[in-house]
Amino acid sequence: MAVRPQHMHDGGIMERRLRPIYDWLDNGNNKKALQEAEKVLKKSPSLQAARALKALALYRLGKGPEAHALLDALTEEKPSDDSTLQAMTISYRESQQLHKVCALYEEAVKAEPTNEELYSHLFMSYVRVGDYRSQQRSAMALYKFAPKNPYYFWAVMSIVLQAKTTDDSTKKGILLSLAQRMVDNFISENKMEAEQEARLYIMILELQEKWKDILNFIEGPLYSQLVPRSTAQASIPYLKKLGHWRRLNLLCKDLLWDNQDRWDYYLPYFDSVFHLISNTEADGESGADDTAEKCHEFICQLVESMSSGRTLRGPYLARLELWKRLSVDGDPTALLGSGVALCIQYLRVFANKPCAVPDLKPYLAMIPQKEREDRCRDFLTCLGFDENSEPESLDDIQRHISCICAWRLTSPLSTADEYLNIATILRRQYLRCVSQKLITATPTEFCVADGYGTLAAHHYFYAAVQQQNASPIVEALCLLELVLHNSPANFHAKLLLISLYHLLGNAVAAESVYRRLEAKHVQLVSLGWLHAARLAPALAPARALRLLADTHAFHRHHAKDSMEHLTYAYKYGTFEKLVELGAWGARLEACAWCALAARERALLPLLAGPPAPLHAPPRLPSPPADNRDLNAIVSWEPPQCVDPELKARTFEQDVAYLRLKDGLVSAIALCIECSDSRSAEQKRAQLDELAACTDAFAGAMDKCRERFAGKQRLSVAAPLPARIIAFVSSEVPYRELYTSALRTVGALCGAGGAAGGAGGGAGGAAGEGGAHGRELGAALREHLAASLRALPEPPLNPWQLRDSLEAYSNYLEFIGVITFLLGVCNELSAPANTKKSKKKANQSPDQILTAELLSQLNDDVQDIIAHLENVFDKWPIYDYGTTSIEDELAKLDFNDKYQCPVEQKLKNGLQDVLTDVKNILKKKSKYLKTLQ
């Protein structure tokens, strides 16, 4: 939005003239804003504010050069009025020229050296470019003529940020000492006024690890004055750092008496108890809980002190936490009894809360597996329910679902038939709730009974994995679509639907649900593994490109957007947020998924075209950051099936795949750079880099084949097997295909460049390069023939559809690359073929042989495309029968007519994908014919 003028030199007259321009800019009608600005300038040609607004309108209309020329002319005049400067600032921010804003305000403050507002804008301009040294200088200058606390602490924070970003430990120490002395001066002069100033002082001391000084400051009178009633809570982390376990123990006990549900007090309390148990030396204080018995007694007192009708989870969970910690090195049953009994007691009290079973999950994993499995039905029956119970009230339904979930978490692994039987029972429970009008979902909240449906879907999945059969997955999809129909806000159902549709290889059906999820901003990153990453391997490259473009736009603009958050943090004095925002920005910059999305956006257009200009990609982040949220889908697998290494292992696979894609994009970009008319000597450095890049790709493929070519266990709550697994374990020789294609292009680029030079030496080099290129091309033809034989047959069972589509997507991606590279090679020979009538006369024998090779390769690729078209034309049509649930639905009395969409979604989704792929292949074939 445009910034309206606050101070006008000509009073209300100018304000009235400029108001229409601001209104049109704010409404997004930049053309009208430009017209209004020109009207004003006819009457007042020298009015700087109108010219600045005109420049902004021009820039937003896509007339960047005109806008920048006008802004440069304004800059020469060194404006200092706020309206002009703010309009120019917006233009420079939108055009990503933030350093020009700094120069603009530097000149403005020279004109008005005591203007507080201009100086504060200068400071914020330095914030946007991250110039901490200039921030400090401008903040101190501002404080000299406007001695206000915020300005002083802006300078202090700027020094802290300099210290945090320097690698020189000596410089860091000097800067932090300076910042501490500056705040100490304020403390000694009794000038500190705000809580955030105190927190900044603590931050400075933390960076110097002066834990004792921090504790003294927190316990002093100034802190309690600035931050009332928080001394005890604030001192907890520093008592831990200093090892004052008895003080910490007594402090946490006092806090817990008044705050029995504060889990952040229980954890340091337990830390202190177990440190005191391991350290028998006393320091003269009494009343601390230094034995497990005293700890248990204290927790029991907390439980007993709760008033009737006010049941808190904290004390009950505290007993489980004590049991868990004691079980690490010993047997806690003598003091606390059975862990199963404690969990069941917790369930009895809190089963009516959706958080009951998630609370229990970490403690169920600590119970020995045999004991847990032997007593699993006790969790189901502890409130008088069993799997066939039919609760009528919403509270009882929640209790029943909690008991069933706890039972399934503790049950031994079952057979497929047993899983199907449980899933059928749970589905019947959900349909009973539907028929009895117990579904009470709203547009923003979902219903308690939905838990039956989502848990049933998990058990259908377990049965499907054991049977290697898609039918249970289809049953789960039908049930989840009904859950989502009745509870449109239920994100658990949406996430499960996306995961299960992708399990069957149906990206189009998954996308129909993903759109309803309305993932935005950082969810494009944290949930990229769930949907966006699975579109390309499901043969939906065009859909993948659209979603990857959203991800790329978020990644590109997050830094610009977060700049304004930084300025707000300074304005409101929330200095801790500055550190958080910096860490957040660094994490996003290093995001592995965003880096892969950028490479995919370069490669996929080669297949789904038209290809965008392909340049060498930016350097990979080092180290790449894993920003995936793998806890988005709740898992009900028993503890023995939980893989603690899942996140690290899958991220390692994703990074390996990212490095392969990075090498491939870099090599293709080098092929483009080398395809010009320069001599071989002129592009020698790039040719050598291309050879090195190709060799590195080949070596990486060999290593990845050794490390990742193996089957992965499927889980509905975890990412599907990484793409690198199908890529490196395929029978198709991708290593040989890609490396021979790239080496062929490299050799022909060298030969083509040499042929353009003068003299016999150059011609000889061209001949050698051409011969080598033809040898490589002949090898490439052999690999192409072998690759066609290695392609799998389309599966007759829909369970194998996902693997088959991924295999074909990898092959089609290569077809996109080889087609593009043949176009690059055609550009190399194009100058000699400009006059068709003299084609033979203008070509040397070596060039004729090379042209014949390229023509043969072109024919080979066209034959492959024809074969693929035939494969996709004859792709099997699968029968996704859904009669089981449809029969049950027919018996129910629905107020609205509901028709299960799953079968139609699955059939239409596959058909859409096959149609898109056949269209892509036709375009590729047509393009290749234009090269002959």
Side-chain angles (χ1 to χ4, degrees):
M1 291 180 66
V3 179
R4 297 179 182 275
Q6 296 174 352
H7 305 291
M8 297 297 301
H9 296 298
D10 296 327
I13 298 174
M14 285 299 108
E15 185 175 353
R16 283 197 302 274
R17 288 183 182 179
L18 295 176
R19 185 180 297 121
I21 309 175
Y22 287 106
D23 290 339
W24 288 123
L25 286 169
D26 289 345
N27 293 329
N29 194 332
N30 300 307
K31 188 173 181 181
K32 291 291 288 183
L34 178 60
Q35 291 171 358
E36 289 291 339
E38 287 175 340
K39 281 182 188 178
V40 173
L41 288 171
K42 281 181 182 177
K43 295 180 181 179
S44 306
S46 62
L47 185 59
Q48 292 178 333
R51 290 156 64 198
L53 291 171
K54 178 183 176 180
L56 178 58
L58 284 169
Y59 181 78
R60 290 180 176 178
L61 287 168
K63 300 178 179 180
E66 293 178 46
H68 290 143
L70 191 51
L71 289 170
D72 290 342
L74 273 170
T75 303
E76 296 276 333
E77 297 174 17
K78 300 178 181 179
S80 60
D81 68 286
D82 185 64
S83 302
T84 305
L85 292 170
Q86 290 282 40
M88 294 177 72
T89 297
I90 293 171
S91 296
Y92 284 136
R93 273 165 45 194
E94 292 186 6
S95 59
Q96 293 296 291
Q97 300 183 80
L98 296 174
H99 284 87
K100 288 191 176 182
V101 180
C102 301
L104 197 64
Y105 278 103
E106 283 169 1
E107 293 299 326
V109 296
K110 287 178 184 176
E112 298 186 33
T114 58
N115 188 315
E116 183 178 347
E117 191 171 349
L118 288 179
Y119 253 111
S120 63
H121 283 308
L122 175 62
F123 176 83
M124 294 306 172
S125 71
Y126 289 134
V127 169
R128 293 188 184 97
V129 298
D131 188 347
Y132 304 132
R133 184 74 186 87
S134 296
Q135 283 179 214
Q136 175 195 348
R137 189 175 60 251
S138 60
M140 287 307 297
L142 180 56
Y143 179 73
K144 283 180 181 177
F145 66 82
K148 299 176 183 178
N149 276 28
Y151 302 148
Y152 188 82
F153 283 93
W154 287 1
V156 174
M157 188 64 207
S158 301
I159 295 171
V160 172
L161 291 173
Q162 289 177 64
K164 286 182 68 67
T165 53
T166 185
D167 295 326
D168 186 340
S169 58
T170 304
K171 182 180 177 182
K172 180 177 182 179
I174 293 170
L175 288 167
L176 290 173
S177 297
L178 172 61
Q180 183 181 346
R181 284 198 307 274
M182 289 176 70
V183 183
D184 284 337
N185 290 339
F186 248 47
I187 294 173
S188 63
E189 295 171 11
N190 200 24
K191 289 184 179 179
M192 287 183 72
E193 299 172 348
E195 173 184 343
Q196 286 299 326
E197 296 168 4
R199 294 190 183 279
L200 176 55
Y201 185 54
I202 292 173
M203 186 197 304
I204 295 166
L205 295 174
E206 277 184 344
L207 291 170
Q208 299 176 87
E209 300 184 359
K210 295 183 176 181
W211 314 121
K212 183 65 176 175
D213 291 347
I214 297 173
L215 194 58
N216 291 337
F217 175 67
I218 290 173
E219 293 174 342
L222 179 59
Y223 185 83
S224 59
Q225 176 188 335
L226 297 174
V227 194
R229 297 182 298 280
S230 68
T231 298
Q233 180 184 353
S235 62
I236 288 175
Y238 308 109
L239 288 171
K240 288 178 67 175
K241 291 283 188 182
L242 292 166
H244 295 173
W245 300 112
R246 286 192 179 274
R247 284 185 61 193
L248 177 61
N249 186 276
L250 294 169
L251 177 63
C252 290
K253 286 178 68 175
D254 288 340
L255 290 170
L256 285 169
W257 277 117
D258 298 323
N259 306 273
Q260 297 175 6
D261 214 29
R262 288 285 298 267
W263 196 242
D264 56 334
Y265 295 160
Y266 281 103
L267 293 178
Y269 168 72
F270 282 118
D271 291 340
S272 66
V273 168
F274 281 85
H275 274 92
L276 290 172
I277 290 173
S278 61
N279 183 8
T280 56
E281 294 182 13
D283 60 2
E285 296 187 46
S286 60
D289 294 341
D290 51 8
T291 65
E293 291 77 9
K294 289 181 181 179
C295 179
H296 182 230
E297 182 182 353
F298 172 67
I299 294 169
C300 291
Q301 289 171 355
L302 291 177
V303 174
E304 292 164 3
S305 69
M306 283 188 287
S307 58
S308 58
R310 184 174 173 268
T311 307
L312 300 174
R313 292 153 54 214
Y316 286 88
L317 277 174
R319 284 195 291 186
L320 286 166
E321 181 69 18
L322 178 60
W323 189 94
K324 177 183 173 182
R325 296 199 182 207
L326 287 171
S327 67
V328 173
D329 297 318
D331 181 12
T333 54
L335 178 63
L336 296 165
S338 163
V340 171
L342 287 173
C343 290
I344 290 172
Q345 181 186 10
Y346 184 85
L347 193 62
R348 282 198 188 103
V349 178
F350 298 105
N352 65 322
K353 298 181 183 293
C355 59
V357 179
D359 283 347
L360 285 177
K361 261 188 174 182
Y363 304 108
L364 292 173
M366 296 296 296
I367 300 170
Q369 183 177 340
K370 186 175 187 311
E371 181 186 357
R372 188 174 64 229
E373 292 176 353
D374 289 346
R375 296 191 60 187
C376 65
R377 282 197 70 84
D378 292 348
F379 288 93
L380 177 62
T381 59
C382 64
L383 289 173
F385 296 120
D386 62 23
E387 60 267 44
N388 295 306
S389 299
E390 297 186 352
E392 299 295 333
S393 70
L394 294 181
D395 263 2
D396 282 346
I397 289 173
Q398 181 60 67
R399 290 187 181 93
H400 190 213
I401 290 173
S402 294
C403 290
I404 291 175
C405 289
W407 167 48
R408 297 316 306 158
L409 274 173
T410 53
S411 297
L413 298 177
S414 305
T415 63
D417 290 338
E418 289 171 331
Y419 283 133
L420 286 174
N421 181 52
I422 294 164
T424 303
I425 291 170
L426 291 168
R427 183 176 71 183
R428 195 177 303 126
Q429 290 281 10
Y430 179 75
L431 295 177
R432 176 186 64 83
C433 293
V434 172
S435 64
Q436 295 181 6
K437 310 295 187 291
L438 295 172
I439 304 296
T440 58
T442 69
T444 56
E445 296 180 356
F446 45 85
C447 181
V448 168
D450 295 351
Y452 289 127
T454 53
L455 188 59
H458 281 267
H459 285 78
Y460 278 124
F461 169 80
Y462 303 149
V465 171
Q466 285 195 17
Q467 293 179 342
Q468 300 287 287
N469 183 4
S471 295
I473 300 295
V474 176
E475 297 288 349
L477 290 169
C478 292
L479 180 57
L480 289 169
E481 287 281 9
L482 178 60
V483 170
L484 195 56
H485 173 76
N486 292 320
S487 298
N490 192 327
F491 61 87
H492 293 298
K494 293 174 188 176
L495 293 169
L496 276 172
L497 278 166
I498 295 168
S499 179
L500 293 177
Y501 275 128
H502 276 302
L503 186 72
L504 295 185
N506 204 301
V508 178
E511 188 173 25
S512 69
V513 183
Y514 182 81
R515 285 197 297 267
R516 297 181 65 182
L517 192 61
E518 296 181 347
K520 295 173 184 172
H521 305 300
V522 75
Q523 287 177 320
L524 293 169
V525 174
S526 62
L527 292 179
W529 63 271
L530 179 66
H531 180 62
R534 300 309 308 175
L535 287 171
L539 276 184
R543 287 177 170 83
L545 279 170
R546 287 196 292 271
L547 198 49
L548 292 173
D550 293 341
T551 305
H552 179 69
F554 168 72
H555 187 240
R556 189 180 63 215
H557 292 299
H558 82 87
K560 182 179 74 173
D561 296 338
S562 64
M563 285 303 163
E564 296 314 304
H565 298 307
L566 292 174
T567 61
Y568 291 137
Y570 277 107
K571 286 174 184 175
Y572 296 107
T574 51
F575 299 114
E576 292 165 318
K577 291 297 178 187
L578 290 166
V579 179
E580 292 177 18
L581 287 167
W584 156 259
R587 236 185 120 168
L588 274 181
E589 280 299 312
C591 180
W593 164 239
C594 291
L596 179 59
R599 274 84 186 157
E600 294 280 15
R601 287 185 73 241
L603 286 174
L604 285 177
L606 304 185
L607 173 62
L614 195 150
H615 304 288
R619 291 180 64 86
L620 287 176
S622 180
D626 185 2
N627 294 323
R628 300 172 301 162
D629 178 10
L630 298 191
N631 297 316
I633 300 178
V634 179
S635 172
W636 298 112
E637 290 182 324
Q640 66 267 26
C641 294
V642 174
D643 181 4
E645 303 298 324
L646 174 71
K647 188 174 176 72
R649 188 180 65 253
T650 55
F651 184 60
E652 181 188 12
Q653 294 167 351
D654 289 346
V655 170
Y657 188 68
L658 166 61
R659 296 192 189 284
L660 284 179
K661 282 294 178 82
D662 181 67
L664 192 55
V665 173
S666 300
I668 296 171
L670 286 166
C671 287
I672 297 170
E673 290 178 22
C674 294
S675 63
D676 55 19
S677 58
R678 292 176 297 159
S679 69
E681 287 305 316
Q682 289 174 318
K683 49 189 174 183
R684 175 56 53 200
Q686 289 159 313
L687 289 169
D688 290 344
E689 190 179 351
L690 173 59
C693 193
T694 306
D695 292 342
F697 177 84
M701 281 288 288
D702 290 336
K703 290 179 182 176
C704 290
R705 190 172 294 158
E706 294 172 8
R707 296 171 59 194
F708 303 125
K711 286 283 185 182
Q712 296 284 316
R713 189 175 74 88
L714 292 175
S715 171
V716 72
L720 289 168
R723 292 191 64 186
I724 195 170
I725 295 172
F727 187 58
V728 300
S729 59
S730 173
E731 295 295 323
V732 177
Y734 287 114
R735 175 189 179 278
E736 290 74 17
L737 285 171
Y738 279 112
T739 54
S740 57
L742 293 169
R743 285 168 180 155
T744 300
V745 175
L748 294 179
C749 284
E768 292 175 11
H772 182 53
R774 290 192 293 277
E775 288 176 12
L776 292 169
L780 175 57
R781 293 191 66 199
E782 293 178 8
H783 295 317
L784 286 171
S787 71
L788 198 57
R789 294 190 297 269
L791 281 175
E793 291 294 322
L796 301 176
N797 182 347
W799 178 257
Q800 282 97 35
L801 178 62
R802 176 181 56 82
D803 290 336
S804 184
L805 289 180
E806 185 164 2
Y808 277 94
S809 76
N810 287 333
Y811 194 68
L812 281 170
E813 189 171 287
F814 169 73
I815 294 300
V817 170
I818 188 67
T819 303
F820 180 76
L821 292 178
L822 285 172
V824 172
C825 293
N826 184 69
E827 292 294 324
L828 280 170
S829 56
N833 298 335
T834 51
K835 296 182 181 179
K836 293 185 178 179
S837 60
K838 300 180 180 179
K839 181 174 181 181
K840 292 184 180 178
N842 289 338
Q843 286 186 314
S844 67
D846 186 71
Q847 289 173 321
I848 293 172
L849 292 172
T850 299
E852 288 176 358
L853 169 68
L854 293 176
S855 179
Q856 291 168 343
L857 282 170
N858 192 316
D859 291 339
D860 291 342
V861 177
Q862 287 195 59
D863 290 343
I864 291 173
I865 289 174
H867 173 80
L868 291 172
E869 287 180 312
N870 185 52
V871 168
F872 290 117
D873 278 331
K874 297 179 179 178
W875 199 276
I877 304 298
Y878 305 110
D879 179 28
Y880 298 102
T882 58
T883 55
S884 171
I885 192 169
E886 287 177 345
D887 290 345
E888 291 191 48
L889 288 172
K891 300 173 186 176
L892 299 179
D893 179 21
F894 277 107
N895 290 332
D896 58 340
K897 293 181 180 179
Y898 173 76
Q899 185 173 1
C900 184
V902 171
E903 186 172 8
Q904 202 62 38
K905 275 188 175 184
L906 291 171
K907 288 182 178 178
N908 291 348
L910 179 58
Q911 194 57 48
D912 287 353
V913 162
L914 295 177
T915 301
D916 289 346
V917 169
K918 285 185 280 189
N919 289 335
I920 287 171
L921 291 173
K922 284 185 175 64
K923 290 177 182 176
K924 292 299 169 193
S925 179
K926 184 178 178 181
Y927 172 72
L928 287 169
K929 287 174 183 175
T930 65
L931 301 181
Q932 292 180 318

